[in-house]
Amino acid sequence: MKLGSLKAGGRDGALVIVSRDLDRFVEAKGIAATMQQALDNWTDIAPRLEALAKQLDGREVAGEPFDATLFSSPLPRAYQWADGSAYLSHMRLVRKARGAELPANAAKDPLLYQGGSDAFLAPTDGISLGDPDWGLDFEAEIAVVTDDVPAGVTADQARGHIKLIMLCNDISLRNVMKPELQKGFGFFQSKPASAFSPVCVTPNELGSAWDGGKVSLPLVSTFNGEEFGRPDAGTDLSFDFSQLIAHAAMTRSLAAGTIVGSGTVSNEDYRSVGSSCLQERRMIELLDEGEIKTAFMQAGDAIRIEMFDARGTSIFGAIEQRVVASRK
């Protein structure tokens, strides 16, 4: 089943079911008004949404033409957004940029930060750049959405709490980040609003590409019309989503609608598959050529993030954003 939220529904969107081929959508009127309402009552509501999805795919329901510009992020705002850093190759490269070493227990203990979740960008919204010197960067990721997760859940138990999967552009301001982290209290100013794919899917939509904790498909980033990277999201992953959720819920419960991110998708073979953010490319250039050649994002730059199934069909639709200079 594929779901999304229309911007026309207000701050929390209007829940819709999207056809498997991303061709049409139908509103979930009479079932659930919003994505959050569906997640709050998932056991009762999901079967009704699935029945309507079958009707839409079987063309028993006509629906409306799919247009990503009509869609907000699946959850336009969320009770919680916790982002991980589950790919050690990414951690090594970006920490090198700020002169930091990997934590000694990096391979055994996941990193998570609490992101801003009060308002997400829509998948086709512009990315506002207040100052070109801030070092604007995209970060292509996978994210999952949970139902209610009890405190102390195990990784095996956490698998059953993953209800939806989507893509993310976790936007970063790299030159704001380094001095901020040196304070020892985590991200805040360096992490503006993230954006998510227009469509989220239930795990069964991914077939064999989903093993209960990770997606094993390439994540494709296209920067200014040229492919930038296609690392496989299931390769070189140190912590899958079940482990990240269990880590987040060690001492507290997670409310339905919690979003958990993988962190920037990255493979150890980054020279062949490319990268999912500019900072990685910059550090590879420094290692290979002795100098950084790639600039951070500027007004007019465009990023597209998308994932395709084995037949080459887009699964989640695309995050497609352009940088705009903010007015002062």
Side-chain angles (χ1 to χ4, degrees):
M1 177 170 59
K2 298 189 176 188
L3 303 173
S5 296
L6 295 181
K7 294 177 182 177
R11 293 184 70 175
D12 292 304
L15 180 63
V16 299
I17 297 98
V18 181
S19 62
R20 278 206 173 111
D21 58 6
L22 300 183
D23 182 61
R24 292 162 297 119
F25 70 88
V26 63
E27 290 192 50
K29 290 180 178 177
I31 302 176
T34 66
M35 189 76 73
Q36 184 61 52
Q37 184 182 350
L39 290 161
D40 285 339
N41 304 278
W42 190 255
T43 301
D44 295 330
I45 287 177
R48 297 167 64 192
L49 293 173
E50 287 169 355
L52 184 53
K54 287 181 181 178
Q55 291 180 315
L56 181 64
D57 287 325
R59 296 194 175 270
E60 299 171 48
V61 176
E64 301 289 334
F66 179 81
D67 178 354
T69 65
L70 301 176
F71 284 66
S72 65
S73 284
L75 282 164
R77 55 179 176 169
Y79 288 118
Q80 182 157 233
W81 159 226
D83 198 20
S85 189
Y87 296 87
L88 292 186
S89 59
H90 172 74
M91 288 176 62
R92 290 190 196 98
L93 287 168
V94 297
R95 281 175 171 257
K96 183 179 180 65
R98 59 177 191 260
E101 297 293 329
L102 282 180
N105 61 349
K108 296 180 180 180
D109 195 26
L111 288 177
L112 280 174
Y113 82 88
Q114 192 95 44
S117 62
D118 51 327
F120 296 124
L121 296 176
T124 58
D125 279 353
I127 303 171
S128 179
L129 178 58
D131 188 334
D133 292 333
W134 284 346
L136 178 64
D137 199 357
F138 64 88
E139 293 193 61
E141 305 187 8
I142 313 294
V144 301
V145 186
T146 75
D147 62 3
D148 288 305
V149 180
V153 70
T154 66
D156 283 343
Q157 292 167 339
R159 290 177 173 235
H161 292 283
I162 298 171
K163 300 306 175 186
L164 298 168
I165 304 159
M166 55 190 179
L167 307 182
C168 175
N169 182 12
D170 179 44
I171 298 163
S172 290
L173 302 173
R174 299 294 187 183
N175 295 334
V176 178
M177 186 179 294
K178 182 177 179 179
E180 183 171 41
L181 290 178
Q182 287 174 343
K183 299 176 183 178
F185 211 56
F187 299 118
F188 198 91
Q189 290 178 323
S190 55
K191 287 291 187 178
S194 299
F196 296 87
S197 50
V199 171
C200 59
V201 309
T202 49
N204 63 300
E205 285 290 325
L206 296 173
S208 61
W210 175 254
D211 73 349
K214 67 177 183 293
V215 182
S216 293
L217 287 169
L219 182 58
V220 182
S221 299
T222 304
F223 185 52
N224 289 334
E226 295 185 4
E227 186 174 300
F228 191 85
R230 54 170 56 241
D232 191 288
T235 301
D236 300 321
L237 180 66
S238 296
F239 306 100
D240 70 14
F241 283 108
S242 68
Q243 293 169 301
L244 292 175
I245 291 167
H247 181 80
M250 187 180 85
T251 60
R252 53 176 166 166
S253 61
L254 309 178
T258 291
I259 304 172
V260 178
S262 64
T264 305
V265 175
S266 178
N267 292 168
E268 297 289 350
D269 188 21
Y270 45 74
R271 290 181 179 87
S272 296
V273 299
S275 300
S276 296
C277 70
L278 294 170
Q279 187 72 305
E280 271 199 21
R281 171 74 63 84
R282 288 164 59 89
M283 289 304 99
I284 294 165
E285 290 170 346
L286 187 61
L287 289 171
D288 291 353
E289 304 173 49
E291 62 177 323
I292 295 172
K293 298 179 178 179
T294 298
F296 287 122
M297 299 179 85
Q298 301 295 320
D301 284 344
I303 178 62
R304 182 182 178 98
I305 299 168
E306 198 164 10
M307 180 173 276
F308 302 90
D309 64 19
R311 296 169 297 179
T313 302
S314 181
I315 299 171
F316 306 93
I319 299 173
E320 194 163 13
Q321 299 179 278
R322 187 173 294 275
V323 180
V324 295
S326 62
R327 296 178 180 176
K328 296 182 179 180

